[in-house]
Amino acid sequence: MIDLKKHTYKLIMIAFFLLLWSCNDTEHQKPALETLNLVSSIPANNDNEVSFRESQVSFIFSENIKLNQPQNIEINGELAQRVTVNMSELRIDVSLQPNTTYRIEIPKNQITGRESGAMSGKIEIVFKTQDVELSKLVIDNPSIQTQKLYNYLKSITGEKMITGTMANVSWNINEAEWVRYHTGEYPALNCFDYIHLYASPSSWIDYENISVIENWWQNNGLVAAMWHWNVPKSNSSNSYAFYSKETDFDVSRAVIKGTDEYDIVIADLNKIADNLLLLNDKNIPILWRPLHEASGRWFWWGAKGAMPAKKLWQMMFDVFNDKGLNNLIWIWTSDGNDDEWYPGDDYVDLIGADIYDKDLGSIVSFYENMKRKYPNKMLALSEYGNISNLSEQWAKNVKWLWAMPWYDYERTLTIEGVEFKKESHQFANKSYWQNIFEMKDIIVYRNNVPNLK
């Protein structure tokens, strides 16, 4: 006989537990979530007029978000280095360059909505930064050859890189000969130094004999020149120096008319102008890089700070202009943190950088900083030594107009003998140069410089 009370109780308990299980199961089964909603981005997708001075890209979502790890956001195929979240905004630090297309890719499920738990779908935006027109030559009446050279430089900037070597001390192409000996090719550019101007002309140095430069130019070589400007070590001294620690010559007095220092400077400026006119008369354009590394203060022209250094630059410019020099392309050397030293756009055609013993990351940061500061000026690696291969730099979008390692005194003191034939080099050895010439589609060496005469 069935006990109805007990049976009814059991049925009630079973129903209760079934109801409880059903509730718990429903509680754990969350509904399918929608994709996290992106509201906007700055810059917007397909924007073609983005300022290259911007330093952030932002993505705004419909709710507060969190960034899932590992972070795999990419900018032009490279992992973004600094990504932060502020409420509903994702911020990516960027270092933009003019006239460049950027693609930012955020993979699926990289971002989660804090309230809804919704995950992001794949997000991608493409934008292009504004173009910048390169400035004109700062001299009013450049010679035909100077304008041709400048036009050529503008036509290849960002596309090709000119190879260069530095004369061993003064007035030769020994470094270029060493490169040719080990690679079979001459570099396109050779830089000469008027370091011994105070002694020229003499039996051991004569800058009025320009045959070495004429021959280089006639063989399609590009000519650069600089000046380790020697001045008297003291008022009564017959010895000379250019390092500030070796001379008490005061550049702040040298830019003031009526001082002894001013008279010395003006005499030197007229003398070197007369020497440069010899090249001007032969229609040889010069990539002219005076007063280099001034902000380092180790040279007397930078020892008293930015203002006298700038005045000296402008004095030189005016003296040369009065002399009728119209074959110079003016190059100012920057260390990256010397804005107050810049002579001004009206006095500078190109920006140079002298870089030694720095890693690839530091060079990339330096180059990007310079591109932002001087967007309408071309950039050259005017001196370097013991740095990453130029192919590695180019792959990181560090596209110098030209690159010139410093000379090795022992290796190229002469072009004869055991020392010259050695493959080692203080700043750029044989294998380094071989790597340069392997960049065949990019590198300009002397044999593929067009006729600029």
Side-chain angles (χ1 to χ4, degrees):
M1 185 176 178
I2 298 174
D3 187 336
L4 291 176
K5 288 184 177 180
K6 289 183 177 181
H7 183 68
T8 302
Y9 176 77
K10 287 181 179 180
L11 289 174
I12 292 171
M13 292 302 295
I14 289 171
F16 173 76
F17 282 113
L18 285 173
L19 179 62
L20 183 62
W21 176 84
S22 176
C23 290
N24 287 339
D25 186 60
T26 302
E27 188 175 292
H28 285 88
Q29 290 182 350
K30 294 184 177 180
L33 297 175
E34 296 181 356
T35 301
L36 181 64
N37 184 29
L38 175 66
V39 176
S40 63
S41 68
I42 304 174
N45 189 32
N46 295 323
D47 189 345
N48 289 322
E49 291 293 330
V50 177
S51 171
F52 56 87
R53 300 188 187 279
E54 296 294 335
S55 60
Q56 278 189 345
V57 173
S58 296
F59 294 86
I60 311 298
F61 293 87
S62 57
E63 60 178 291
N64 292 342
I65 59 171
K66 63 179 180 180
L67 179 65
N68 300 325
Q69 299 298 329
Q71 181 270 108
N72 295 311
I73 299 173
E74 292 185 351
I75 305 175
N76 285 357
E78 298 283 340
L79 193 66
Q81 295 302 307
R82 181 168 170 77
V83 182
T84 56
V85 168
N86 181 30
M87 306 295 283
S88 63
E89 181 182 13
L90 180 80
R91 298 173 179 171
I92 304 173
D93 286 358
V94 292
S95 181
L96 302 179
Q97 301 300 318
N99 194 28
T100 304
T101 298
Y102 291 90
R103 182 184 301 274
I104 297 183
E105 298 179 80
I106 303 176
K108 183 179 180 181
N109 299 334
Q110 181 72 80
I111 303 160
T112 301
R114 288 189 175 276
E115 289 83 12
S116 68
M119 306 284 279
S120 61
K122 182 179 179 180
I123 299 171
E124 180 178 290
I125 66 167
V126 178
F127 60 90
K128 185 178 180 181
T129 51
Q130 295 169 335
D131 199 359
V132 175
E133 184 177 355
L134 294 173
S135 60
K136 298 178 181 179
L137 283 168
V138 293
I139 52 177
D140 293 331
N141 60 333
S143 69
I144 293 173
Q145 291 74 21
T146 305
Q147 190 63 61
K148 281 185 177 181
L149 173 57
Y150 190 65
N151 291 344
Y152 170 64
L153 298 179
K154 291 201 318 185
S155 73
I156 66 169
T157 188
E159 302 294 332
K160 292 184 179 294
M161 179 164 51
I162 295 167
T163 51
T165 45
M166 180 67 205
N168 186 328
V169 179
S170 185
W171 214 235
N172 58 70
I173 59 168
N174 291 5
E175 284 281 319
E177 291 288 1
W178 181 86
V179 171
R180 187 200 61 81
Y181 179 83
H182 288 291
T183 66
E185 294 287 355
Y186 282 108
L189 175 150
N190 199 76
C191 185
F192 301 87
D193 192 349
Y194 283 92
I195 187 172
H196 301 305
L197 183 73
Y198 68 94
S200 176
S202 66
S203 59
W204 60 275
I205 186 69
D206 183 4
Y207 294 125
E208 294 177 9
N209 180 356
I210 62 172
S211 58
V212 63
I213 294 181
E214 280 191 276
N215 290 337
W216 183 260
W217 170 248
Q218 290 303 321
N219 283 285
N220 264 24
L222 304 180
V223 180
M226 59 187 299
W227 186 16
H228 281 89
W229 189 348
N230 276 285
V231 290
K233 290 185 175 181
S234 63
N235 288 338
S236 58
S237 176
N238 290 321
S239 58
Y240 294 80
F242 50 80
Y243 283 121
S244 53
K245 65 182 180 181
E246 297 176 2
T247 177
D248 59 10
F249 194 84
D250 190 340
V251 63
S252 65
R253 287 177 51 81
V255 295
I256 300 174
K257 287 184 179 181
T259 65
D260 292 340
E261 290 87 349
Y262 179 87
D263 291 341
I264 291 171
V265 161
I266 289 297
D268 281 354
L269 288 175
N270 279 291
K271 183 176 182 178
I272 197 167
D274 289 339
N275 278 266
L276 290 169
L277 279 168
L278 298 175
L279 302 173
N280 198 33
D281 292 343
K282 295 291 185 177
N283 298 317
I284 302 174
I286 306 297
L287 295 160
W288 175 239
R289 189 170 74 99
L291 307 182
H292 65 295
E293 301 172 9
S295 63
R297 296 175 183 259
W298 42 79
F299 298 127
W300 65 263
W301 52 84
K304 299 295 183 178
M307 190 56 66
K310 287 196 295 186
K311 286 184 177 180
L312 184 60
W313 181 287
Q314 292 162 3
M315 277 175 56
M316 179 186 293
F317 188 91
D318 292 339
V319 168
F320 287 6
N321 187 57
D322 291 342
K323 283 277 190 175
L325 274 168
N326 64 350
N327 65 327
L328 303 182
I329 296 175
W330 290 74
I331 304 159
W332 178 71
T333 309
S334 173
D335 71 6
N337 298 297
D338 49 6
D339 297 7
E340 70 275 21
W341 296 73
Y342 184 53
D345 284 349
D346 293 338
Y347 296 91
V348 175
D349 291 308
L350 300 171
I351 306 294
D354 294 0
I355 299 177
Y356 292 85
D357 306 311
K358 290 190 181 296
D359 60 27
L360 180 59
S362 299
I363 295 171
V364 171
S365 296
F366 178 94
Y367 182 87
E368 291 176 345
N369 185 38
M370 289 294 96
K371 289 288 283 185
R372 286 192 298 273
K373 284 185 178 181
Y374 308 104
N376 63 338
K377 304 291 183 182
M378 293 177 279
L379 303 181
L381 187 53
S382 44
E383 281 184 32
Y384 73 89
N386 299 323
I387 60 175
S388 60
N389 284 331
L390 296 176
S391 58
E392 296 174 329
Q393 295 182 46
W394 196 270
K396 291 291 186 180
N397 212 35
V398 177
K399 298 184 176 181
W400 304 109
L401 178 59
W402 75 78
M404 187 195 77
W406 199 246
Y407 65 82
D408 185 323
Y409 182 82
E410 296 296 332
R411 193 67 60 248
T412 58
L413 183 60
T414 69
I415 59 173
E416 299 173 350
V418 175
E419 287 298 322
F420 179 79
K421 295 178 181 179
K422 287 182 179 178
E423 297 180 1
S424 59
H425 191 283
Q426 185 178 0
F427 299 110
N429 60 22
K430 175 183 176 180
S431 63
Y432 192 98
W433 274 101
Q434 287 176 331
N435 175 266
I436 292 173
F437 283 111
E438 286 172 2
M439 302 164 65
K440 294 180 180 178
D441 294 334
I442 299 168
I443 288 299
V444 177
Y445 46 91
R446 199 174 76 172
N447 278 347
N448 62 3
V449 173
N451 185 357
L452 302 172
K453 298 174 182 62

